[in-house]
């Protein structure tokens, strides 16, 4: 299953991403790094061996968020 995680590079979001990947899900992340750092994506890959599909924008941007749904 493909799962969208908003705020996926934050503390809670990144831990959720790891658990979802380890459970066999494909993870898509939207985050604008307002409370996190880009290197968290590297940490998720290091822990799981898999990359997440990532979009850098605020989830409140309706046009960009709608595009994420169209692409995934």
């Amino acid at each position: 299953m493909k799962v969208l995680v908003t705020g996926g590079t934050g503390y809670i979001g990144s831990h959720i991403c790891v658990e979802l990947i380890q459970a066999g899900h494909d993870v898509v992340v939207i985050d604008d790094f307002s409370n996190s750092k880009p290197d968290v994506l590297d940490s998720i890959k290091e822990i799981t061996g898999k990359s997440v599909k990532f979009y850098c924008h605020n989830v409140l941007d309706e046009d960009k968020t709608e595009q994420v749904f169209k692409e995934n």
Side-chain angles (χ1 to χ4, degrees), residues 34-53:
S34 59
N35 291 308
S36 61
K37 297 187 189 261
D39 62 338
V40 172
L41 295 167
D42 296 329
S43 298
I44 292 170
K45 184 175 182 179
E46 184 178 321
I47 293 166
T48 65
K50 296 185 180 182
S51 297
V52 297
K53 192 166 186 182

Side-chain angles (χ1 to χ4, degrees), residues 5-14 17 29-32 36 59:
V5 179
T6 60
T9 60
Y11 181 79
I12 295 170
S14 62
C17 288
V29 171
I30 297 175
D31 204 323
D32 65 358
S36 61
V59 73

